[in-house]
Every structure is written in C-alpha cells, then in structure tokens.
Amino acid sequence: MQLAKFFFSILSLLFFVSHLSTDSRIPEIPHSEVGFPLPYFSPVSGTFAEIRNHNLHLGSDFKSYGLNGHNILATFDGYVEEISYSKTGYGLSLNLYNPKYKIKSKYAHLHSFGGTLVELELLRRALLLMGDPSGFQLKLPPGMFSTKKGNAIGKTGETGSGPPHLHLEFRSEKGTINPLYFSEIHQKDITPPTILSLFLESDQLEKPLLLSAKEIGKGKFELYTESGDLFTSIQLTGKVRIRLSGYDKIRSRNKNNVYGMDLEVNGKTVFTRNFDFLSFEEKSQKHQFYDINRSSLSPPVYFYHMYEQPKLFKEDGNSLNLSLFPKKEKIQVLASLRDATGNKSSVNFTILNEDSPKDPNEKPIPKKTGNKYKSLDGVVTIDLTKAEVSGDGNFFITEISEKEIPFKIPKGLPLKGKIYQVETKRMSWKGEGIGEMNFGSTPSIKDSLYFYDVSIGKFQGVQPKRKPNGFSFKLTKLGYLMVLSDETPPTVFPMTSIARYIELPEVRNHCMEEKYYTLSDTGSGFRTNVELLLDGQSFPYEYDPDRSAIKVLIPKSLQKERPYLLLEVKASDFAGNTSEPFVDLISTNGWKEDLLQASCPVIE
C-alpha cells in the first residue's frame, strides 16, 4: 500500500510539473536581453490585439514618420530562421529566433535586409532575380545568419500593406506575445487610458444604456446619461453585462488598444484580462474580447467585454448575476482600463438589487421570421440567417425623424426619404447581415444608401447595390440607414502629411521625382482612375490605396529641357460628379543633374 502511494505521489508530481511546463505561455527570457527594434525610440502607432478585418493584430506597429530606410535592430541574440516576401500581407519579412528561450521576433513590411548581414540582402536579390519576383518563402539553416542584440539587420519599408512603418511580433511555441510586455519596449508614458462610454445591459432592462464618460481628474471618469444627467446608480436584477469603451494614447496621437482591464464588485476583482498573450486559436476569436457590432478599427473604438465570453458564440456571458446577491443590497461596481506601464482609468456606479421600473416608451417587438427582421412599415428588412447570432434578445429597425438623429447630415448630401435606426437588445451577431431597402422606385445615379455608425460617430460603407426598387446592402454594425443624394464633386490636393520623399537617401530612387495627390469625396466615393496631364499630355500614375492618393513618378532627366512642368488632375465620383482641375506648377530647378545615373531613363 505504501509503495502504491509512493508511485501515485511520483506520478502526481510528474503530472503537476508537466502541466506547469505546458502552461508556460511566455518564454522566461530576461527583459534585459530584449531590446528596442529601432535606433530611435519610436512611438507605437498600432497595438497588440487590435481589431482587424478577419482577426486580431498580432504585433505592434512602430512609426517611421513617412520614411523608408531606417535600420531595424535585432531584439535579442539569435539567428535568422526564415525570410519571406509577398506583395500583400507581411510584405518583406524576416524571423529572428533565439534557441535558448525558444522565442522569435518577426519584422514585417521591410524595404530590404542588410546591415551586419550583407549576405542576407544579396540572397534576397538573388531570390527575386532567379525565382518568382512576386514572392518567396525560405527556411534558413540554423546559425547561417547569426546576430547579436542591437545589430542592424535590415531597413524599414512599406511592402505588403500600409504606409511606412515597422510591424514587430514576438512568438512562442504556443502563441504570440505583446511586444509591450517587454520593459525595453514599454513606451514609458504617464497618460492613463481614455474611457469613452459604458454599455450596460441586463435581462431586465427594456433598453440597454449607453453612458458617456467624462474625465474629472487623471484616471478618474464620471458617467452621464443620453440626456446629460450624472449617472451614479440604477435598480437592476438578474444577469448584467458591462462593456467598457475606450482607448490608450501612448506617446503619439494614435488611439491604441489598451493593455488590460478589471472589474471590481464590492471591492473584490471579479474579472481581469491582460492583452499580453494570445494563443494561435484566439487570434480569430475577436468576439471573445470585443462587442464586434460596436467596435471599430478606423477610427479606433473598442467596446471591451468586462466578462468572459464563451468560445461558442451562440452562448452569452455576463459580468455579474444579481440573483446571487441579497435583495435590496447596494452593490458597488468599479470598471477600469490599464496600459502597459500600469496607468489606470476607472468609472464607478452603484446597483440597487431591485426590479427596475418599466419604461413607458418601450418599443414594440419587431416583425420577425426566424432570423429575418423588418421595420414596421416593411421598407427595411435584414436577414441574419447566414450570420451567427448570440443572445436571446431582439433586433429593432425603427423609423426616426431627422430631428431625432444624434448627428448632422453633411452639406451637399440632401436626405431622400426616411431614416431607420438599427439597434439590438441582449443580442449580437458575427458575420454579415443581408439587408434590403425597398421603397418602390429606382434610385438615381446620385442616390445612394448611407449608414451612420453610432459607435464611432461616422458614416461607414455598407456595400450598397442598386436594385429596381431600392438597395441591397450588408450590415455588421449598429446605427442609422438612410438614402442621400450626392451633389458634391470630389477633391484633389497635394499630400503634405508625409515627407517629401518616402525613402531615406540610402534607399531612394535618384532617377525619379515622387509626387502624391490625395483624393477625397464627401458622398458616394471617388473613382481611382483620374485624368492626369503633364504639360498637356496624358501621363501615367499609380493609385495608392493605403494613402487614398495617386502616385506620380516624374523622370528627373526632364530638368535638362524644362524649368517648369504643369501637372493637371481631374477626379470623378460614382454619382457622376467631376472635380475642377487641380493644377500643380512643378519647378525642376532643384533636381540636380549630377545625381542622375547612367541607368536613369531619359525623356526629352
């Protein structure tokens, strides 16, 4: 018997040790052995676990201020494990691996390799020359390209997607690590996160409450109702869901994702989450962390679940169950957001555990067939059959007058017909809802369907398509639907928000003068094909979707014959409006002839 107990103890200990080792998600590399990835202390422009179209952002983006060609530095001792290139996604990238701690860092959107690894850059060029110029992916022998922490191993760029920036990831064997977890990459900021609003929902509330937050001191916020009254307490029973909306400004004007959050009830923490690590499975499960019908990347608005949301989307979590508390008890609630440096912002209120009074303005239950919903007048229908629906509540499509909407319709876009508000109670959906607005006549070319997203306070696209009697559309968010007539032409203007050259001298194309012109439109959207003339002749250009601009490359050899060049651009939109010509008189006097190389194209 004693021997059996001994073996059982040994097996239990082995299981415990094994469990500990498999549960260690972040490698125990000393923070002092992890360094900053750039030679200057760049602010973060995009943070870990931010919302993207299909999953979550798995790294941090670092500003390069509109320039390509900054050195990227090895974050730790190791060797280059893999290099790859594609025209989309990560672009040109490399993986640096440390075998001692089994951690890798991935650098993406690079311009080139090199620095102390000259041969690695030669390999990149050879692969593009001898292989497929559209891309490659190559595993390298361990130790072939070794480096030390702080050594230059490449140049920042903009390959793959986005304007110039460095995307950095840290990966373990089990998932991805927030770069801000490491102290050397901390942004050393002293500004706590900003709380925008608190969304309060319960089984008993007839209508969810969206309470706006106002800062009254560093890290301290108060809540206010839609009518502007201070919110301090509420009567509720049953299950309660709390979502907190906010962002974190680190060292730049970018509104970033927060690092963590906490919910306290009567002084005890009942929920906490850190965005310090995501497993490979979690990267596609953004609904676990965010209210995806109210959250957005552009502009950044994050509605965080202040509770554990089950992985099975159709189930629903809750922040607290008031049936577990004594009746008439006053329950103190404190909700907080944190950044990586430890700054915290909080809001608080009191719940009185009693039935809340009935709302006399309760909206009628909407028409519903399965997961298909209609407005009371039958004009708007939204079908969630192909979407994944969570919760046991209702979906409302309500006619609203122009006086009731909490925003102003832009000038030059007159309203045509009715406005419909789309909102939910105790339900959400994942995927696209298929909608139709049928008003009995064919819309004109200037008429289009517009959607105002309430969570971000901005008009967003719903992919409308014209039909003989109205529009079809796709819906993933909550807000207001309406038809507006586009009477405003698009605009063209030179881009001044980035550096004159997007490349540092060592990687710049000396043969060409680079010009950018931004396209913009208030209404139906601009067409990406423009009419561009240089000295009266059609001239080629390239549309840059990341900058919403056209890029024009002008050979510097023209300066030999022409002291000035006249560039003209006319843009049009999908409503048939055409802009006035934008004219740019370009002086070639600053284009130095001695910089031209023999390989540069010559145009007389």
Side-chain angles (χ1 to χ4, degrees):
M1 177 67 84
Q2 293 286 22
L3 187 61
K5 285 184 178 180
F6 172 76
F7 278 114
F8 179 78
S9 299
I10 293 295
L11 288 172
S12 299
L13 179 61
L14 288 174
F15 174 80
F16 179 69
V17 172
S18 171
H19 178 71
L20 281 180
S21 62
T22 56
D23 195 45
S24 178
R25 304 184 304 172
I26 301 178
E28 296 180 358
I29 182 171
H31 285 230
S32 60
E33 294 189 25
V34 179
F36 204 76
L38 292 165
Y40 58 95
F41 193 51
S42 173
V44 168
S45 57
T47 40
F48 187 76
E50 284 184 353
I51 289 178
R52 292 295 190 264
N53 290 335
H54 303 293
N55 48 31
L56 299 176
H57 192 231
L58 297 182
S60 289
D61 293 336
F62 295 88
K63 285 179 175 291
S64 57
Y65 295 101
L67 293 170
N68 297 322
H70 296 290
N71 284 331
I72 61 166
L73 308 180
T75 52
F76 43 66
D77 296 352
Y79 59 81
V80 179
E81 179 191 52
E82 179 181 299
I83 57 174
S84 63
Y85 171 70
S86 63
K87 291 187 176 181
T88 58
Y90 285 120
L92 181 67
S93 70
L94 68 81
N95 292 351
L96 181 68
Y97 181 67
N98 181 294
K100 179 179 179 181
Y101 298 105
K102 295 182 179 180
I103 185 173
K104 69 177 68 174
S105 55
K106 185 178 188 70
Y107 303 78
H109 311 310
L110 304 182
H111 181 279
S112 57
F113 302 140
T116 57
L117 303 176
V118 178
E119 294 83 0
L120 189 64
E121 170 60 11
L122 296 177
L123 176 60
R124 178 189 74 88
R125 297 182 186 185
L127 287 170
L128 291 176
L129 285 171
M130 296 186 298
D132 184 351
S134 65
F136 62 80
Q137 183 173 0
L138 182 64
K139 289 274 189 182
L140 298 171
M144 174 176 279
F145 295 100
S146 296
T147 188
K148 293 288 186 181
K149 170 190 168 186
N151 284 348
I153 55 177
K155 301 283 187 181
T156 63
E158 56 180 304
T159 56
S161 64
H165 71 281
L166 172 65
H167 174 90
L168 177 71
E169 294 180 13
F170 285 94
R171 298 180 180 179
S172 71
E173 294 177 324
K174 296 183 178 297
T176 54
I177 308 155
N178 190 336
L180 295 182
Y181 168 81
F182 298 103
S183 55
E184 286 300 310
I185 304 180
H186 275 183
Q187 294 290 290
K188 301 176 179 62
D189 70 294
I190 58 174
T191 305
T194 297
I195 297 176
L196 294 175
S197 59
L198 185 143
F199 188 83
L200 185 64
E201 192 175 37
S202 84
D203 298 338
Q204 184 194 18
L205 275 179
E206 299 299 335
K207 178 183 177 183
L209 295 179
L210 182 60
L211 304 163
S212 60
K214 295 181 182 179
E215 190 169 15
I216 58 173
K218 187 175 181 179
K220 295 181 179 180
F221 289 77
E222 288 181 334
L223 295 172
Y224 290 83
T225 65
E226 291 181 357
S227 59
D229 298 324
L230 180 65
F231 177 87
T232 58
S233 63
I234 188 172
Q235 290 181 209
L236 286 178
T237 58
K239 294 178 181 178
V240 176
R241 283 167 289 279
I242 297 172
R243 302 182 184 105
L244 204 57
S245 169
Y247 58 81
D248 183 31
K249 281 190 175 181
I250 301 179
R251 288 175 47 242
S252 66
R253 64 183 179 182
N254 295 77
K255 297 176 180 178
N256 302 126
N257 189 33
V258 301
Y259 191 83
M261 62 208 69
D262 306 287
L263 182 67
E264 295 180 20
V265 175
N266 290 338
K268 294 183 179 180
T269 301
V270 297
F271 169 78
T272 187
R273 171 176 287 129
N274 283 336
F275 284 126
D276 55 0
F277 178 90
L278 284 178
S279 68
F280 293 120
E281 178 189 11
E282 288 173 330
K283 69 177 184 180
S284 61
Q285 303 294 323
K286 58 187 175 184
H287 67 273
Q288 289 188 47
F289 313 111
Y290 303 101
D291 181 338
I292 55 178
N293 302 133
R294 292 179 173 85
S295 299
S296 165
L297 172 66
S298 181
V301 175
Y302 307 103
F303 273 86
Y304 303 101
H305 295 313
M306 303 299 284
Y307 53 90
E308 290 293 343
Q309 179 77 352
K311 292 183 179 180
L312 183 62
F313 183 74
K314 291 186 178 181
E315 297 177 1
D316 206 2
N318 60 82
S319 302
L320 62 157
N321 187 348
L322 296 176
S323 64
L324 303 177
F325 292 80
K327 282 290 185 182
K328 298 188 177 182
E329 180 181 355
K330 290 185 178 180
I331 301 163
Q332 306 298 323
V333 178
L334 180 75
S336 306
L337 300 179
R338 289 180 279 106
D339 64 21
T341 313
N343 301 301
K344 179 182 282 192
S345 295
S346 304
V347 292
N348 65 85
F349 62 97
T350 301
I351 296 177
L352 178 60
N353 193 9
E354 281 191 29
D355 291 337
S356 61
K358 295 292 183 180
D359 183 2
N361 299 316
E362 180 184 352
K363 294 178 180 178
I365 299 298
K367 298 178 181 179
K368 176 184 177 182
T369 305
N371 275 328
K372 298 180 180 179
Y373 300 84
K374 279 188 177 183
S375 59
L376 291 176
D377 61 5
V379 172
V380 178
T381 62
I382 295 176
D383 185 355
L384 299 180
T385 302
K386 294 184 179 180
E388 199 172 347
V389 177
S390 170
D392 59 353
N394 294 311
F395 189 102
F396 298 92
I397 309 170
T398 310
E399 183 181 336
I400 300 291
S401 70
E402 189 172 354
K403 294 179 180 179
E404 295 177 280
I405 58 176
F407 59 91
K408 291 184 178 180
I409 295 174
K411 292 182 179 179
L413 300 176
L415 176 66
K416 303 288 288 291
K418 300 177 180 179
I419 301 172
Y420 295 88
Q421 182 182 11
V422 178
E423 60 179 344
T424 60
K425 172 190 172 184
R426 297 200 316 273
M427 72 164 288
S428 59
W429 76 94
K430 184 172 63 173
E432 294 176 335
I434 307 302
E436 290 189 357
M437 179 180 281
N438 299 316
F439 43 79
S441 61
T442 302
S444 72
I445 189 174
K446 290 186 178 294
D447 293 343
S448 189
L449 184 66
Y450 289 77
F451 176 73
Y452 184 84
D453 188 333
V454 291
S455 61
I456 64 175
K458 183 179 178 182
F459 281 95
Q460 293 283 80
V462 288
Q463 303 178 42
K465 292 184 179 180
R466 282 180 175 78
K467 297 172 38 180
N469 60 344
F471 293 94
S472 64
F473 59 93
K474 295 180 179 179
L475 191 69
T476 62
K477 306 290 288 299
L478 298 170
Y480 297 82
L481 287 160
M482 69 208 77
V483 175
L484 305 177
S485 181
D486 185 357
E487 307 290 345
T488 306
T491 58
V492 183
F493 51 91
M495 178 171 282
T496 56
S497 61
I498 64 170
R500 186 62 154 180
Y501 299 100
I502 63 169
E503 296 178 334
L504 294 176
E506 58 265 35
V507 295
R508 188 176 301 159
N509 184 346
H510 294 284
C511 299
M512 298 289 185
E513 176 74 3
E514 194 173 74
K515 308 287 285 187
Y516 277 89
Y517 299 93
T518 300
L519 305 180
S520 178
D521 186 64
T522 302
S524 56
F526 56 81
R527 296 182 180 273
T528 57
N529 54 322
V530 302
E531 181 184 339
L532 191 147
L533 303 176
L534 189 67
D535 280 357
Q537 301 293 319
S538 293
F539 197 79
Y541 63 89
E542 177 184 344
Y543 177 69
D544 185 335
D546 296 310
R547 296 182 176 87
S548 300
I550 56 170
K551 176 182 177 181
V552 186
L553 295 177
I554 305 174
K556 290 185 177 180
S557 59
L558 288 175
Q559 57 89 25
K560 295 180 180 179
E561 300 292 332
R562 308 178 196 179
Y564 295 97
L565 297 170
L566 188 66
L567 184 142
E568 301 173 77
V569 183
K570 287 174 69 176
S572 59
D573 64 18
F574 289 97
N577 301 304
T578 302
S579 70
E580 293 294 324
F582 172 83
V583 179
D584 192 7
L585 185 62
I586 303 169
S587 172
T588 66
N589 290 330
W591 302 354
K592 295 183 180 179
E593 186 175 357
D594 57 1
L595 292 177
L596 298 180
Q597 303 169 5
S599 59
C600 291
V602 176
I603 298 181
E604 301 293 343

